[in-house]
Amino acid sequence: TIKSGTEFINNSAKAGGAIFINNTTDGSTNTINGAVFKGNSTEKGGGAIYIRNSKVAITDTIFGGTGDGEGNTANTYGGAIFNTRGSALAINGNSSFINNSTGGDGGAIVNYAESGYEASTLTISGNVAFSGNKAENGGAIMNYALMNIGSGTTFANNITDKNGGAINNASNLANTITGATFTGNKSLFEPTDDTENVWEYGGGAIYNAAGSNITISDSTFGGDNAADGNTAYIGGAIYNKGTLTLSGANVFKNNVATLDGGAIINRNGTATIGAGTQFISNSAFYGGAFYATTAGTYTIEGTLFQNNTATGHGGAIYSSSTGNNTISDAIFIENVATQWWGGAIYSETGTLSIDNSTFTGNQAARGGAIANTGTGDMTLTDNVFGSAGAGNFATRYGGAIYN
């Protein structure tokens, strides 16, 4: 038990710069309450704490700080904490992770699944804050095991060089995020020449890897100000290659992708966006709010798309997914493709069914509301295009639909 007032400053080790917790096998829980960890470092994992085969509960504790050298660092993984070998880590209360970093994965935390052991668990609840953390992958958190993030958790201005400005999830377990807020997180990757794979990296807030699973509920990505938005080359807020489920009142606002998917890109993954989610004022070159491509599928129900912008095609949605995709009970208001086609939706491949949805005030050069091109097969049922004083508009062809 480590009690309030304890400070760990500028300690270093090969693993666990300040503390190494190992094989607590009697079922007891190691507790850290009200401590401070600053400037600790390690050659490998856990700049502040390395946890192996143990239970640990952390409350009201500070990792890092805003001053020079106050962040904890690790050369390879877990700038502040590395959690492995079936360990159960719970972080509660007003704990904070500020400016921790690593040259590898997990600027603040790595939750690891080591072969031969049960999956480690990471549970975060209460007003836990992650800000200014940085890593090659997973600016704040890199998850390989079981992760559950609860209401009140905030991720602000965390940075990754590659995937997941705040979180990189590489686990197929029942990972959940509920009631969290993501603002100003970034993936810094930008292709420098034609030889780089532009699809390899992204996700300003979250990257969900191939074969991985995550459910996000009642969470906010971005905010009212431009600086609140999460940013990336592709997938301004989320890059999904696995299974992504959005439920409840999620809000995506002012997120930006340089190329595809201002809020979300779904590439070879399965995306389910449930009733209550809102996409407002997101932007990208293609797919101002949502971009779906290759073999993935998506289902969108009861979702609002408003004031999203694409410079190219698909002011709200760009659909080139080859699977069977559905949109129902959605609302598209004043989305714009500023140069090209599909003010609300641009579809070029796959099958897309749109039912019971409304389109008002959307604009594009062709297909003010919808442009269906290429080999795309689209079915429209019981939809409404325009209203008194708020019709859809095309500068060239198809005020509502271009096919």
Side-chain angles (χ1 to χ4, degrees):
T1 299
I2 297 173
K3 295 185 177 181
S4 181
T6 306
E7 296 185 356
F8 298 84
I9 311 294
N10 295 332
N11 302 285
S12 62
K14 189 172 183 178
I19 300 174
F20 193 108
I21 302 172
N22 187 41
N23 292 327
T24 307
T25 57
D26 61 359
S28 62
T29 299
N30 302 275
T31 61
I32 301 172
N33 185 16
V36 174
F37 294 81
K38 293 183 178 181
N40 302 287
S41 62
T42 178
E43 295 177 22
K44 291 188 176 180
I49 303 174
Y50 192 112
I51 305 166
R52 188 163 67 185
N53 195 25
S54 300
K55 295 180 180 179
V56 177
I58 298 172
T59 306
D60 298 334
T61 293
I62 297 171
F63 294 85
T66 58
D68 291 342
E70 289 188 341
N72 301 285
T73 61
N75 284 352
T76 53
Y77 38 74
I81 299 175
F82 186 79
N83 189 52
T84 189
R85 292 196 181 181
S87 294
L89 171 60
I91 303 172
N92 312 293
N94 296 306
S95 296
S96 59
F97 294 79
I98 306 167
N99 293 332
N100 302 285
S101 63
T102 177
D105 296 341
I109 300 172
V110 168
N111 188 43
Y112 195 66
E114 191 167 339
S115 178
Y117 296 88
E118 292 184 5
S120 300
T121 61
L122 171 63
T123 303
I124 299 174
S125 60
N127 299 316
V128 179
F130 295 83
S131 63
N133 302 287
K134 185 176 181 180
E136 185 175 47
N137 288 294
I141 297 174
M142 181 75 217
N143 180 56
Y144 295 98
L146 178 61
M147 173 186 68
N148 294 293
I149 296 174
S151 181
T153 306
T154 61
F155 296 86
N157 303 316
N158 301 285
I159 296 173
T160 180
D161 293 324
K162 293 181 177 178
N163 289 323
I167 298 172
N168 186 323
N169 179 52
S171 163
N172 64 358
L173 300 178
N175 303 290
T176 63
I177 299 173
T178 304
T181 301
F182 298 81
T183 56
N185 302 287
K186 297 179 181 180
S187 167
L188 297 179
F189 170 76
E190 293 273 354
T192 57
D193 57 50
D194 293 339
T195 65
E196 290 190 80
N197 183 357
V198 299
W199 300 103
E200 191 68 24
Y201 308 119
I206 296 174
Y207 177 84
N208 193 43
S212 299
N213 178 69
I214 195 165
T215 297
I216 302 171
S217 306
D218 302 320
S219 295
T220 300
F221 295 81
D224 292 337
N225 300 311
D228 294 332
N230 304 283
T231 60
Y233 189 71
I234 54 177
I238 298 175
Y239 189 165
N240 179 55
K241 289 185 175 181
T243 299
L244 169 68
T245 303
L246 301 181
S247 64
N250 297 291
V251 176
F252 295 81
K253 193 171 186 178
N254 282 316
N255 301 286
V256 178
T258 306
L259 185 62
D260 299 329
I264 298 174
I265 183 168
N266 183 54
R267 178 174 169 80
N268 292 325
T270 300
T272 302
I273 301 175
T277 293
Q278 299 181 4
F279 294 88
I280 302 170
S281 300
N282 303 285
S283 62
F285 193 85
Y286 296 119
F290 181 80
Y291 186 105
T293 184
T294 59
T297 61
Y298 63 88
T299 301
I300 298 172
E301 179 181 3
T303 298
L304 171 67
F305 295 86
Q306 185 170 7
N307 293 324
N308 300 287
T309 303
T311 304
H313 299 313
I317 295 174
Y318 186 114
S319 181
S320 62
S321 173
T322 59
N324 295 317
N325 309 292
T326 62
I327 298 171
S328 62
D329 301 302
I331 299 172
F332 295 85
I333 302 173
E334 296 180 352
N335 302 285
V336 179
T338 59
Q339 293 183 7
W340 295 338
W341 303 358
I345 299 172
Y346 176 86
S347 179
E348 65 176 354
T349 57
T351 299
L352 176 58
S353 298
I354 305 174
D355 306 319
N356 299 306
S357 296
T358 61
F359 298 80
T360 56
N362 303 286
Q363 298 184 40
R366 300 188 186 191
I370 295 174
N372 184 48
T373 68
T375 60
D377 183 6
M378 182 180 292
T379 301
L380 304 176
T381 307
D382 296 329
N383 300 289
V384 176
F385 293 87
S387 63
N392 303 284
F393 174 73
T395 58
R396 299 193 68 186
Y397 310 127
I401 298 172
Y402 178 85
N403 183 55

